[in-house]
């Protein structure tokens, strides 16, 4: 799995870059260089000694963009890049000079993770449309990182390519050699190619970042500022067909029962043409996906989990348009719970729906039209119900055979503008619920890429006995260039909006109006490398019938010192309180919530140090006696060596005298005043043997208890009356315990062996304020999962397999 470390986060503070040989395109100055054809074999070993390299053109004179924006690289840290090509791919050789090679940062990590590392990267845009680039990055430890980057979605690090690289530390710095096969790139079927390209370098000990081509950090996305790569001629796109078969086996022990199973299947990837790719998973197995961070959820809305399954994470930038596709719905929980009689008990209920197969087609034409098609089919699932008197059992369908479909058309134009159409549909066999949703989105930038005009209109349709139509929309304008920036947005959601069959939606029946002003300083000052100041104002109201909801002001700030320490804070307050239209769980009702004043501060130490610590304290004070919330957090990371990394995170929450939903009897709604304490601790550790092999640990314990002090009846005006006759036992304690110990070995390009041990349990008790020891005794008395699994995947490229025979 890719880490949350975002390479684009490192390069968003871009600077001025002077040109060597330049051309003008849409008023943006672009450097250009030429690749040289070679007929000789190039060995990817980090030693740039083949004769072909001597004749290659040079890209040099990199410009620093962080922290000193626009400063030419120093003579003792020069960067020299050359590009070759043949009939199978392009080759990149980079000589990265460093007068102190012993200080080059080279921490070992798993693939697709970058930590305390120097790195070099190339961004390639085969269509030269300034819209989408492929990133190929190598650290000084030889670890690969790759991603897709687009103007509107930013970086998608879930994309995984098959390419080759090697590094070599020398007495003059370090070298990088790469080979990027054509089947990992997208470019037109022309005899003469002209690609967008840029090169980047990070010098970690100085937190210095440099790029080859000019990037204006005051406006637009970085993909607008590629240089140009010429010289590639008469190459043919190879057949893009690959197979990744897998084998997996599991030994699972739960509640005294041990089971073993063996699975096999395959992922298939086929390049339909130079632009579009077909991906399919056959007999999928997601048993080694990371565990979910479940919580004690007392809100009116379901908890949203992040996607952990690789097929649904990779190459999904088109499907994420408009936030209408929540992939966890495919193969999620059954849509209904069985109906039982007075003397019946549900003895078996499937926790997850089994995915039968899924495929996706995605790509973008030379004229900027992106097309995405996703289709998934899940199997019929049944629950078993037992008659308590006779012992007889029956089955009831809780999820029928279901087809999920997503269709996206995304037309880009003008460098940084787009119009998008999205449709999602869920069709279940029989009389089960069906759903459909459609959205039209637009994001228009002016020619100077200083202003954006954006909006959307979406509609939903649900048939579940009755038919329900819903809609939502928004309009906005923003200025995102220069020191002074702003955004103004208005949006609404009507009461029938519902995309929860294949999307994720929570709040409905409201209108919201917000404005934001931001001031930033990107060039270093006497004391700071950069400064960000933000001011936000939000006003919400209920649509039907009209009711004021909230007026909220927020200010937050961030400062980076010359020593690369970060700190900041902020305030937020609701001066006239809030009418919460969701906590009563009944349409047309609301709960009056007193105003609050929230203040927070945070500090992050220099991440280059062996010990990094991040501290945050957040305090809510409500306009009600004794009511407050305290949210401290602590992050500690210790880098014991270039191979061993340890992290501990603690995130407690203490909420005093909060008021929440407690029950309902007919039209009468009950609220409860409660004390809630939550403790979440997570430990992660990783020992990386080399750039292909690692042993990692992930541990999380979540504990939350709630104690109700008093109950109230909710009045029609949102106020509360104390109720002494309503006294249910709503006290609760929830625990979740997860341990994953994982060994990973990338034994060949695109091929991996993973051995996983998993230990997990959870419980919910109708008591609270338990002693620490008693809580753990109860937790470990609950049935516990102990699972050992082995999974092997092997990448087979059609072109290589063909050559074998």
């Amino acid at each position: 799995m890719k880490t949350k470390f975002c390479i684009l986060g490192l390069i968003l503070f871009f600077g001025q870059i002077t040109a060597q040989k330049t051309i003008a395109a849409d008023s943006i100055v672009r450097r250009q260089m030429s690749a040289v054809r070679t007929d000789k074999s190039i060995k990817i070993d980090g030693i740039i000694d083949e004769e072909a390299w001597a004749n290659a053109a040079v890209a040099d004179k990199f410009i620093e963009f962080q922290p000193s924006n626009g400063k030419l690289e120093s003579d003792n840290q020069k960067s020299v890049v050359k590009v070759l090509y043949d009939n199978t791919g392009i080759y990149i050789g980079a000589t990265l000079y460093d007068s102190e090679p012993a200080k080059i940062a080279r921490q070992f990590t798993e693939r697709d993770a970058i930590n305390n590392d120097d790195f070099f990267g190339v961004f390639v845009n085969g269509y030269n449309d300034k819209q989408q680039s492929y990133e190929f990055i190598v650290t000084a430890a030889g670890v690969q990182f790759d991603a897709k980057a687009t103007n509107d979605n930013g970086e998608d690090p879930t994309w995984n390519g098959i390419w080759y690289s090697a590094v070599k530390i020398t007495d003059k710095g370090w070298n990088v050699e790469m080979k990027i096969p054509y089947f990992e790139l997208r470019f037109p079927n022309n005899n003469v190619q002209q690609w967008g390209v840029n090169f980047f370098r990070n010098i970690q000990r100085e937190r210095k970042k440099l790029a080859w081509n000019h990037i204006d950090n005051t406006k637009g996305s970085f993909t607008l500022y590629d240089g140009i790569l010429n010289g590639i001629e008469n190459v043919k796109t190879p057949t893009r067909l690959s197979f990744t078969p897998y084998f997996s086996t599991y030994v699972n022990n739960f509640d005294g029962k041990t089971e073993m199973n063996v699975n096999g299947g395959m992922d298939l990837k086929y390049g339909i043409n130079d632009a579009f790719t077909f991906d399919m998973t056959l007999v999928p197995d997601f048993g080694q996906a990371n565990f979910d961070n479940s919580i004690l959820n007392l809100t009116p809305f379901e908890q949203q989990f992040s996607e952990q399954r690789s097929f649904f994470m990779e190459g999904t930038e088109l499907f994420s348009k408009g936030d209408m596709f929540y992939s966890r719905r495919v193969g999620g929980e059954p849509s209904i719970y069985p109906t039982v009689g007075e003397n019946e008990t549900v003895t078996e209920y499937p926790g997850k729906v089994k995915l039968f197969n899924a495929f996706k087609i995605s790509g973008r034409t030379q004229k900027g039209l992106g097309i995405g098609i996703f289709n998934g089919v899940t199997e019929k699932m049944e629950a078993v119900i037992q008659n308590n008197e006779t012992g007889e059992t029956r089955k009831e369908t809780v999820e029928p055979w279901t087809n999920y479909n997503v269709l996206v058309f995304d037309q880009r134009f003008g460098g940084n503008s787009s119009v998008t159409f999205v449709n999602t549909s869920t069709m279940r066999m029989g009389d089960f619920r069906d759903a459909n949703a459609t959205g039209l989105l637009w994001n228009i930038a002016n020619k100077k890429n200083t202003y954006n005009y954006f909006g959307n209109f979406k509609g939903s349709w649900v048939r579940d006995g009755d038919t329900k139509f819903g809609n939502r929309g928004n309009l906005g304008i923003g200025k995102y260039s220069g020191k002074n920036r702003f955004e103004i947005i208005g949006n609404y959601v009507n009461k029938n909006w519902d995309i929860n069959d294949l999307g994720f939606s929570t709040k409905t029946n409201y209108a919201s109006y917000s404005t934001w002003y931001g001031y930033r300083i990107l060039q270093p000052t006497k004391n700071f490398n950069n400064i960000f100041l933000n001011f936000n104002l939000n006003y919400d109201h209920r649509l039907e019938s009209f009711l004021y909801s909230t007026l909220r002001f927020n200010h937050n700030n961030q400062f980076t010192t010359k020593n690369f320490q970060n700190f900041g804070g902020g305030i937020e307050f609701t001066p006239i309180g809030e009418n919460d239209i969701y906590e009563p769980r009944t349409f047309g009702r609301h709960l009056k919530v007193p105003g609050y004043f929230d203040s927070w501060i945070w500090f992050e130490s220099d991440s280059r140090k062996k010990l990094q610590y991040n501290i945050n304290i957040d305090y809510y004070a409500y306009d009600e006696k004794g009511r407050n919330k305290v949210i401290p957090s602590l992050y500690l990371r210790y880098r014991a060596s270039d191979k061993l990394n340890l992290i501990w995170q603690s995130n407690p929450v203490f909420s005093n005298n909060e008021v929440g939903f407690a029950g309902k009897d007919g039209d009468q709604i009950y609220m409860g005043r409660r004390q809630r304490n939550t403790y979440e601790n997570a430990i992660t550790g990783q020992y990386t043997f080399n750039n292909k092999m690692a042993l990692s640990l992930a541990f999380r314990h979540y504990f939350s208890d709630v104690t109700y002090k008093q109950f109230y009846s909710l009045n029609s005006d949102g106020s509360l009356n104390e109720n002494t006759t309503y006294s249910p036992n709503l006290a609760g304690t929830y625990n979740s315990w997860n341990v994953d110990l994982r060994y990973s070995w990338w034994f060949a390009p695109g091929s991996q062996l993973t051995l996983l041990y998993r230990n997990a349990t959870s419980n919910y008790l109708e008591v609270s304020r338990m002693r620490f020891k008693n809580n753990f005794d109860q937790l470990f008395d609950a049935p516990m999962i102990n699972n050992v699994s082995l999974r092997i995947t092997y990448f087979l490229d059609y072109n290589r397999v063909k050559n074998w025979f």
Side-chain angles (χ1 to χ4, degrees), residues 41-55 82 84 93 95 175-177:
S41 175
I42 302 295
K43 184 178 181 181
I44 306 301
D45 57 4
I47 304 173
I48 308 173
D49 59 353
E50 287 85 356
E51 182 181 348
W53 290 117
N55 300 319
K82 299 179 179 182
L84 303 172
T95 303
N175 298 337
V176 179
E177 270 189 309

Side-chain angles (χ1 to χ4, degrees), residues 746-803:
W746 292 87
F747 58 88
S751 305
Q752 186 178 20
L753 179 151
T754 303
L755 179 64
L756 172 68
Y757 168 71
R758 172 165 290 168
N759 172 259
T761 188
S762 64
N763 70 350
Y764 180 81
L765 304 172
E766 294 182 348
V767 295
S768 63
R769 297 185 175 179
M770 299 176 63
R771 292 182 177 273
F772 183 83
K773 181 180 182 303
N774 292 341
N775 175 66
F776 273 94
D777 288 343
Q778 294 279 355
L779 174 62
F780 294 131
D781 283 342
M784 183 169 288
I785 295 172
N786 285 282
N787 177 284
V788 178
S789 60
L790 174 68
R791 179 182 172 93
I792 301 173
T793 60
Y794 191 76
F795 174 79
L796 294 170
D797 172 43
Y798 165 79
N799 299 286
R800 292 179 62 196
V801 173
K802 182 177 66 174
N803 291 335

